[in-house]
Amino acid sequence: MSEFYQIDRIFKNKGLNDSDKNILAYILKNPDKVQHQGIRTLAEHVFTSPTSIERLAKKLGYSGYSELVYHAKHLIRETTLPQPSSLDTLTTLSPEIFEDRVVQLFNREHYVYIYGEGFNEFVAGYFYRKLLVNRYQTLLLAGLEIPLVYDPGQKPVLLLISRSGENFSCLEKIRQIEAVNGTLISFTSNANSTIAKKSDVPITLVDPQVSDAANINYTHFYGDCINAFENLLNFANLDPSEL
């Protein structure tokens, strides 16, 4: 079941049946072996015909079997799901607490408020759109205060991006979310910052240019925020058999 789930994530909306998924599962699990042995041997292993495999390749948009197998390695590399061990490096929390809170808070029962100022605002906008297309209840707090938009029926989570971890407006948003018994996820470059210490899930991203408040010099902080967010969201929505 978990292999089929992985295939559904890679090949979305392709109308695959169980036989197609069985073929792809074998190819993705053994790309080198399949490339070396050829289509007839593959057909024997998965109890189908070479014609069916060629038909599947065409269905997926490839010119044929050879192109499908050629891209199998790239497909595996580009869609490898994040593992807990790689996520644990993003936080000072223990692995068990971190993983549990990520799954709990990135839950569609919660209402997610998102806020970031300056360059962080661009990252906040990406987070907002990503959550929207994944059918989360979410609101971008651009010019809005939490008391104005909060509804008692919500289970609010505040998602903050602050490179320094000391932004005044972000600290005010934290005061507001605490007043309605909400929870906090933060993305900062300083694990010892006020914002990180107040967070239920503090995400810390190393930034060699942390003192460059004007963002004049090279930094990968903002790109790392998006990468970390993608990994967290992906991990939170894994099939339980993948955890």
Side-chain angles (χ1 to χ4, degrees):
M1 179 64 69
S2 62
E3 287 183 342
F4 278 17
Y5 178 77
Q6 169 87 328
I7 289 165
D8 284 334
R9 296 175 68 93
I10 298 173
F11 301 102
K12 293 181 179 179
N13 304 318
K14 296 296 184 180
L16 301 176
N17 56 40
D18 285 349
S19 177
D20 294 333
K21 293 176 184 179
N22 190 44
I23 295 168
L24 289 170
Y26 191 90
I27 293 174
L28 295 175
K29 190 174 182 179
N30 310 280
D32 292 320
K33 182 178 179 180
V34 169
Q35 189 171 34
H36 175 72
Q37 293 182 339
I39 190 171
R40 293 188 180 281
T41 301
L42 170 61
E44 292 175 2
H45 280 299
V46 296
F47 306 103
T48 189
S49 67
T51 301
S52 296
I53 297 173
E54 287 284 0
R55 189 181 302 119
L56 171 60
K58 297 289 180 62
K59 180 191 291 188
L60 297 175
Y62 298 108
S63 60
Y65 165 78
S66 296
E67 187 178 8
L68 168 59
V69 174
Y70 174 79
H71 283 282
K73 292 181 183 179
H74 300 283
L75 289 168
I76 286 294
R77 183 171 65 248
E78 292 169 2
T79 57
T80 296
L81 301 178
Q83 299 301 314
S85 59
S86 65
L87 297 177
D88 296 342
T89 61
L90 299 174
T91 186
T92 54
L93 298 175
S94 70
E96 294 77 14
I97 292 176
F98 177 58
E99 292 162 23
D100 183 60
R101 288 184 184 176
V102 168
V103 172
Q104 284 186 17
L105 297 181
F106 277 99
N107 185 306
R108 289 176 178 82
E109 293 182 0
H110 291 276
Y111 202 101
V112 185
Y113 299 126
I114 307 173
Y115 185 75
E117 277 195 337
F119 285 95
N120 297 307
E121 190 173 353
F122 294 101
V123 180
Y126 181 89
F127 287 4
Y128 171 68
R129 289 170 177 78
K130 186 71 176 188
L131 289 175
L132 273 183
V133 299
N134 279 278
R135 301 187 300 281
Y136 281 80
Q137 302 176 87
T138 184
L139 180 66
L140 192 58
L141 295 175
L144 297 173
E145 302 298 323
I146 291 174
L148 296 176
V149 296
Y150 171 70
D151 185 287
Q154 297 172 352
K155 294 181 178 180
V157 174
L158 175 59
L159 202 162
L160 285 180
I161 308 101
S162 172
R163 189 177 173 191
S164 67
E166 300 293 347
N167 179 272
F168 176 80
S169 296
C170 287
L171 291 170
E172 175 60 19
K173 291 292 190 295
I174 293 175
R175 186 191 66 76
Q176 294 173 7
I177 200 68
E178 288 176 341
V180 296
N181 296 315
T183 47
L184 175 63
I185 301 172
S186 68
F187 291 73
T188 76
S189 64
N190 184 358
N192 294 314
S193 65
T194 304
I195 290 174
K197 288 182 176 180
K198 285 179 171 289
S199 300
D200 298 281
V201 180
I203 305 300
T204 305
L205 303 158
V206 177
D207 183 5
Q209 302 288 350
V210 67
S211 62
D212 180 23
N215 195 29
I216 296 171
N217 301 311
Y218 165 81
T219 179
H220 45 70
F221 173 77
Y222 305 103
D224 286 349
C225 279
I226 291 175
N227 288 335
F229 176 76
E230 289 282 357
N231 281 339
L232 291 175
L233 191 61
N234 207 18
F235 177 76
N237 287 282
L238 287 179
D239 186 278
S241 63
E242 295 282 340
L243 297 177

